[in-house]
């Protein structure tokens, strides 16, 4: 169980979590990096807005990663380009056979 002291955007508090201190520090460091990027861009000035945008950016990153993983883990999806080519070829042959009434 770890503890993390957060001093960010003019507020300070600590949290306890099941993860260890080192992991929590990495998470906070990554979040601070996102906040720094937003602040350097000058897009937003209000701290609450910066915090909300950072959260949305992290959600976007997570959502895209989960979407990418779910596509790559689809059991019906071909695992490499050769498999994909074979699958497409087989589908085209079936369609041609059907169009030529060779397959009933």
């Amino acid at each position: 169980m770890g503890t993390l002291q957060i001093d960010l955007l003019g507020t300070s508090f600590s949290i306890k979590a099941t993860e260890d201190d080192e992991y929590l520090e990495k998470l906070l460091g990554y979040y601070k990096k996102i906040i720094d990027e937003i602040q350097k861009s000058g897009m937003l000035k209000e701290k609450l807005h910066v915090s909300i945008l950072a959260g949305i950016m992290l959600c976007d990153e997570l959502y895209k990663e989960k979407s990418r993983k779910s596509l790559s883990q689809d059991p019906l999806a071909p695992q490499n380009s050769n498999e994909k080519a074979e699958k497409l070829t087989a589908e085209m042959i079936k369609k041609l056979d059907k169009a030529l009434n060779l397959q009933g």
Side-chain angles (χ1 to χ4, degrees):
M1 184 157 191
T3 303
L4 181 65
Q5 178 62 37
I6 300 171
D7 297 305
L8 194 60
L9 297 171
T11 192
S12 180
F13 59 98
S14 40
I15 61 167
K16 290 186 187 242
T18 57
E19 291 81 9
D20 63 30
D21 290 343
E22 183 179 336
Y23 178 76
L24 295 172
E25 288 293 337
K26 285 181 184 181
L27 287 179
L28 181 59
Y30 191 68
Y31 187 71
K32 284 182 177 180
K33 178 183 166 198
I34 301 295
I35 285 178
D36 288 343
E37 289 173 7
I38 294 168
Q39 288 177 323
K40 286 178 185 174
S41 76
M43 294 185 335
L44 300 170
K45 301 293 182 205
E46 291 188 39
K47 294 174 183 176
L48 179 60
H49 294 173
V50 171
S51 178
I52 291 169
L53 181 58
I56 290 171
M57 290 172 69
L58 290 168
C59 285
D60 174 57
E61 186 177 316
L62 177 62
Y63 183 80
K64 286 177 181 174
E65 181 64 21
K66 282 186 170 185
S67 295
R68 184 189 65 76
K69 270 190 173 180
S70 69
L71 287 176
S72 69
Q73 293 177 353
D74 180 357
L76 300 177
Q79 297 301 312
N80 62 44
S81 59
N82 286 339
E83 287 180 39
K84 187 174 184 176
E86 288 175 14
K87 182 178 177 184
L88 290 172
T89 301
E91 288 174 8
M92 288 182 355
I93 290 171
K94 281 183 184 178
K95 288 179 181 178
L96 287 170
D97 285 347
K98 188 175 181 179
L100 295 171
N101 289 323
L102 296 176
Q103 206 178 37

